[in-house]
Amino acid sequence: MKTIEDIRKSLESTYMEHEIEEKLPLIQEINRLKKEKNAVLLGHNYMTPDVFHGVSDILGDSLYLSKAAAETDADIILFNGVHFMAETAKLMSPEKKVLIADLKAGCSLAESITREDVKKLKSQYPGVPVVTYVNCTAEVKAETDICCTSANAVQIVNSLDSDTVIFLPDEYLAGNVQKQTDKKIISFPGRCMVHEMYTAEDILSVRRQWPGVTVISHPECNTDVVEVSDFAGSTSQMSKYIRDSGAKDVFLVTECSMGDNLRSEFPDRQFVSSCRTCPHMKRITLEKIKDALLYEQFEIKLDPEIVEKGRMAVQRMLEVSYK
């Protein structure tokens, strides 16, 4: 576990000294409660730095976090992220108590599609396999043949024995996958409210202001944004690219806190930020995390049928990805 000095150092790149001092008592209380409750806290890359560096035990993207949590001996999993992520953790660890600090921490992309929408598409295209991005509800996963992440979407699509694939729910990710596969992609009009705000002109404007800047975008952005970027990948792939490429000036075309959290990992790099934030992610605060642990409140509960079917879709993806 990190020491207080480790935490303080991690927060210095984004907070003033007095802000850190105000946050430390609450961080210490949460870390005490973790031990008392035998809880593990998962921190998504889009959490604010106090949550990400201060109290989260396992850090990364949503699927990695759920997979890692399933391998711990914790009695309680508290997911510092949004609702669909906590549901995925429940699918992977149905025997554990899974909590989220705010049940209203939703996701525009996950909420863009329902289980009934998927059933309707399956009836329109009988026999066509359904690939669903993990950024969806457990009910949608339950109607899915196989899940994917932004990192392995092309691999998953190409693994299927079909010339046509239904790809849900992100139409921008579907468009970016279509450019990398010969299969026909049937998409759905779902979008992330953060990533859909970026345009190709945003990228070109940044390039004019910072000549030589390295532009890294998320594949939830439109294809024209990805095309004018130097690299596009998942949040975990972004970190790896920064580390391996040696890029000094970086423009991250994704949720603002991603750059905030990377500043302490890469203190020698300059991060250019557009500060596009997700209001749902920002509902998760230290105060709410403390209460969730203290009272063991806001538990994720799923129907056993949903757990069985949804987990199967995720497991199929893992089997393909880790062959």
Side-chain angles (χ1 to χ4, degrees):
M1 182 177 290
K2 292 179 182 177
T3 67
I4 286 298
E5 287 310 309
D6 290 334
I7 293 170
R8 187 193 302 273
K9 187 172 178 59
S10 296
L11 300 180
E12 284 175 352
S13 61
T14 47
Y15 295 109
M16 302 290 286
E17 186 176 346
H18 73 276
E19 292 177 308
I20 296 174
E21 292 304 319
E22 289 172 0
K23 293 175 183 295
L24 284 179
L26 193 49
I27 287 171
Q28 288 177 296
E29 173 63 8
I30 291 169
N31 287 331
R32 184 193 68 77
L33 284 168
K34 285 193 299 190
K35 287 183 180 179
E36 179 185 307
K37 303 279 187 175
N38 188 28
V40 62
L41 271 60
L42 313 182
H44 188 268
N45 291 317
Y46 294 161
M47 288 291 99
T48 53
D50 55 346
V51 172
F52 188 79
H53 293 297
V55 300
S56 299
D57 303 300
I58 307 173
L59 310 173
D61 57 32
S62 62
L63 186 69
Y64 168 75
L65 293 174
S66 296
K67 184 173 179 292
E71 297 167 358
T72 74
D73 59 359
D75 296 317
I76 295 174
I77 297 170
L78 196 158
F79 208 121
N80 296 328
V82 293
H83 198 275
F84 81 81
M85 298 178 183
E87 285 190 341
T88 306
K90 185 65 176 179
L91 294 180
M92 302 298 287
S93 304
E95 75 289 352
K96 294 181 179 178
K97 180 179 282 189
V98 178
L99 308 175
I100 188 169
D102 189 328
L103 286 171
K104 294 181 180 179
C107 169
S108 59
L109 182 56
E111 291 162 11
S112 69
I113 191 167
T114 66
R115 190 178 190 183
E116 290 307 310
D117 290 328
V118 185
K119 287 180 177 179
K120 184 176 178 181
L121 280 165
K122 288 164 76 171
S123 68
Q124 290 176 336
Y125 302 96
V128 175
V130 177
V131 176
T132 303
Y133 188 27
V134 290
N135 295 30
C136 65
T137 64
E139 286 195 350
V140 168
K141 288 182 177 72
E143 290 297 325
T144 298
D145 293 298
I146 187 168
C147 285
C148 76
T149 69
S150 54
N152 65 19
V154 175
Q155 179 190 9
I156 296 298
V157 166
N158 287 336
S159 73
L160 298 172
D161 186 21
S162 174
D163 293 334
T164 305
V165 173
I166 298 171
F167 190 99
L168 310 171
D170 191 323
E171 67 174 318
Y172 286 165
L173 180 58
N176 287 312
V177 170
Q178 182 66 85
K179 287 180 171 294
Q180 300 174 70
T181 183
D182 293 329
K183 298 179 184 292
K184 179 185 177 183
I185 301 292
I186 298 168
S187 63
F188 186 84
R191 298 179 183 180
C192 163
M193 65 185 296
V194 173
H195 292 108
E196 74 171 337
M197 289 192 288
Y198 288 103
T199 66
E201 180 51 40
D202 292 333
I203 313 302
L204 298 177
S205 175
V206 168
R207 289 196 187 280
R208 286 192 292 268
Q209 295 175 67
W210 284 276
V213 70
T214 298
V215 179
I216 304 175
S217 63
H218 196 286
E220 287 179 24
C221 295
N222 204 346
T223 52
D224 61 350
V225 172
V226 170
E227 285 173 355
V228 294
S229 301
D230 296 296
F231 177 77
S234 67
T235 53
S236 58
Q237 288 174 323
M238 288 179 177
S239 301
K240 184 177 186 303
Y241 184 83
I242 293 169
R243 186 177 301 107
D244 295 346
S245 69
K248 292 299 181 184
D249 296 319
V250 179
F251 178 40
L252 288 176
V253 188
T254 191
E255 213 278 344
C256 188
S257 287
M258 181 74 186
D260 290 339
N261 291 325
L262 288 176
R263 282 187 176 92
S264 62
E265 183 179 350
F266 300 102
D268 60 330
R269 316 295 173 93
Q270 175 71 34
F271 287 91
V272 180
S273 177
S274 63
C275 223
R276 300 271 167 83
T277 61
C278 173
H280 304 292
M281 290 283 185
K282 298 310 179 260
R283 295 188 74 92
I284 307 300
T285 64
L286 290 175
E287 290 80 5
K288 291 178 182 179
I289 291 168
K290 185 201 74 173
D291 287 345
L293 276 176
L294 184 62
Y295 303 113
E296 297 184 22
Q297 64 186 11
F298 307 136
E299 182 177 359
I300 301 297
K301 295 185 178 181
L302 298 173
D303 185 280
E305 177 221 1
I306 298 297
V307 171
E308 181 181 356
K309 291 181 177 179
R311 181 184 175 93
M312 196 176 301
V314 176
Q315 284 297 143
R316 288 188 188 121
M317 175 189 68
L318 295 176
E319 289 166 9
V320 172
S321 297
Y322 294 99
K323 272 186 178 179

